[in-house]
Amino acid sequence: MDAIEKAIRNALEKGNAEDRAFRERVYRSAFAALDRALQANPGVTVEVAIKRRKAIQEKITEIESEFLPAVPGVAPRIDAIDAPAAETAAGAAPAVEAGPKAPSVPSPAVTVDGPVQAASGAPRSRVLPVVPDIMPDATLPGAPAIDMSAAAAPGAATEVAPDRDERRIRGRRLPLTAIFLTVTLLAAVGIGLFFAVQTGVFKSAAELNTAPPEAPPTVEDDDFTPADGANAPAKPGAADQSRDWINVFSPADPTHVAAPSDAKAEVMRDDAGSFLRIQSGASGSAIAFDVGQGVLEKLAGKHAVFDIIARAEDGKDTQISVDCNFGELGDCGRKRYAVGQQRNEYLFDVKFPDKRPGSAGTIAINSDFDKQGKAVNVYEIRVSIEP
């Protein structure tokens, strides 16, 4: 029970609550007490005062409905009643103006609860009383004193509660706002991560280095010659100072070259001189260069160094593979070299067994290890014996 209802009911218990005139004096006294309390509290705004008076009107209407019997012949709803006429019919005392008044609100229309079935079976309605709009600033004769100071204080329980639907609406807005903000933040974080991945923020320096590797990849079971090894490509003429070279192949005599059906071998010339342009076929077949039996006889039991002088076709760096078949003197193993645009010497050494070769041998060159049809210009193949 709130402060307003408790104060009014306590006042009604001090007299004959069944007497309508007494009840109206109590109601008027309650309004007068509220007005005094509002005037004594300077911190109360006009809006708060209106809410306090509205709360009393609603509470009086609720209490008064408990004392009214069913009345026949009343319309379902009455828009308005002349308050002074109703008071005169009930024998209420006239209102007495005393002192300044607190802000007032218009009188609510008399409300009908709805039809009530009487004992006779005829439909009837209950009529709620008119609540006076303006109350005197003094306690009416015959009405007990009522203390409304608690009801007039700011933040008291007499303040009219907001509409429940509005509270539900406001309650739903907060979660929707929080969800919207959360989704927006997640989207911003996701976009930031996407751009970070695209721009390589999380990549290491090795992953960001997309340049071709300095050394070509090796192939299993291949003897790939490193750039700084003993068999590395040498500058043209660098090995001529201390070696006696034996010619194995020269473009002047291409008859000792064999090319399979899907490979090509053609003598050409450039500023560096004559050369044989070889191009392996799609099958990866190699072009074979003869190593005469007389040459192998000079190499038997010796440590020999072979030198292939070549360069790649203009604008098409390639990788070549070299295989040897020296008959009874064995082979040289598979060699692989990266051949660029400059003319270079590609060296490899072989230690021959001390036996007599029964036939000539061959050096087979595949011009493109990746089988992309790239060509190589071979200027010379020669061999020397290590001292």
Side-chain angles (χ1 to χ4, degrees):
M1 185 181 299
D2 59 20
I4 295 175
E5 182 178 1
K6 184 175 181 181
I8 295 175
R9 290 188 181 278
N10 288 340
L12 291 175
E13 292 177 358
K14 297 178 180 180
N16 183 11
E18 298 298 330
D19 184 0
R20 181 179 180 184
F22 173 74
R23 292 198 304 274
E24 289 194 6
R25 288 194 296 271
V26 171
Y27 300 153
R28 289 174 179 272
S29 178
F31 271 99
L34 177 62
D35 288 342
R36 291 192 300 273
L38 291 174
Q39 294 170 11
N41 193 339
V44 177
T45 63
V46 175
E47 290 78 6
V48 174
I50 293 173
K51 290 182 179 181
R52 300 294 187 271
R53 293 183 63 83
K54 183 178 178 181
I56 290 184
Q57 289 176 335
E58 292 176 353
K59 192 57 62 178
I60 290 174
T61 301
E62 179 182 343
I63 295 173
E64 185 65 15
S65 65
E66 301 175 4
F67 295 95
L68 294 181
V71 179
V74 180
R77 185 171 184 84
I78 300 175
D79 290 336
I81 278 183
D82 185 8
E87 295 168 6
T88 303
V96 180
E97 297 290 340
K101 298 188 295 295
S104 61
V105 294
S107 299
V110 176
T111 306
V112 180
D113 276 356
V116 177
Q117 192 69 26
S120 62
R124 298 186 179 184
S125 299
R126 291 193 305 166
V127 182
L128 303 184
V130 175
V131 178
D133 179 52
I134 301 176
M135 294 298 166
D137 193 27
T139 304
L140 298 178
I146 299 177
D147 183 7
M148 285 292 177
S149 58
T158 56
E159 184 174 352
V160 178
D163 183 73
R164 293 182 180 179
D165 292 338
E166 293 179 359
R167 288 200 301 269
R168 287 196 296 269
I169 293 173
R170 289 196 298 269
R172 287 194 297 269
R173 287 175 183 170
L174 181 58
L176 290 176
T177 303
I179 292 173
F180 174 77
L181 292 176
T182 302
V183 171
T184 302
L185 290 175
L186 290 177
V189 171
I191 293 173
L193 290 176
F194 173 78
F195 280 104
V197 172
Q198 293 296 317
T199 54
V201 173
F202 302 109
K203 291 183 179 180
S204 63
E207 292 174 329
L208 291 174
N209 184 12
T210 58
E214 296 181 0
T218 60
V219 178
E220 186 177 0
D221 297 332
D222 279 358
D223 182 10
F224 182 74
T225 304
D228 57 351
N231 296 334
K235 294 181 180 179
D240 293 346
Q241 299 176 359
S242 60
R243 295 180 182 276
D244 294 328
W245 293 101
I246 302 172
N247 181 269
V248 175
F249 163 76
S250 173
D253 185 11
T255 59
H256 296 286
V257 178
S261 59
D262 62 343
K264 296 179 181 180
E266 183 180 3
V267 177
M268 304 180 72
R269 187 177 182 85
D270 61 9
D271 295 339
S274 298
F275 60 86
L276 182 69
R277 175 167 290 177
I278 62 174
Q279 183 177 7
S280 298
S283 63
S285 56
I287 291 85
F289 296 82
D290 290 341
V291 181
Q293 184 176 352
V295 174
L296 292 178
E297 288 177 351
K298 295 179 182 180
L299 302 178
K302 306 291 193 302
H303 185 191
V305 175
F306 287 84
D307 182 13
I308 301 174
I309 302 174
R311 75 177 182 86
E313 184 181 4
D314 293 340
K316 297 180 180 179
D317 290 358
T318 184
Q319 293 185 48
I320 66 172
S321 63
V322 179
D323 293 281
C324 307
N325 182 6
F326 299 126
E328 295 180 359
L329 297 183
D331 57 38
C332 63
R334 174 171 287 188
K335 313 293 181 182
R336 207 169 103 208
Y337 304 93
V339 181
Q341 303 296 304
Q342 300 297 323
R343 174 175 167 170
N344 281 318
E345 298 181 10
Y346 300 90
L347 306 173
F348 63 92
D349 62 337
V350 180
K351 187 172 180 60
F352 289 99
D354 189 7
K355 61 172 63 175
R356 184 179 179 84
S359 61
T362 59
I363 295 176
I365 301 177
N366 183 342
S367 67
D368 187 2
F369 187 82
D370 296 328
K371 299 181 181 181
Q372 297 180 5
K374 296 178 181 178
V376 171
N377 300 337
V378 180
Y379 292 89
E380 186 179 0
I381 299 177
R382 57 189 181 175
V383 62
S384 68
I385 299 173
E386 289 286 292

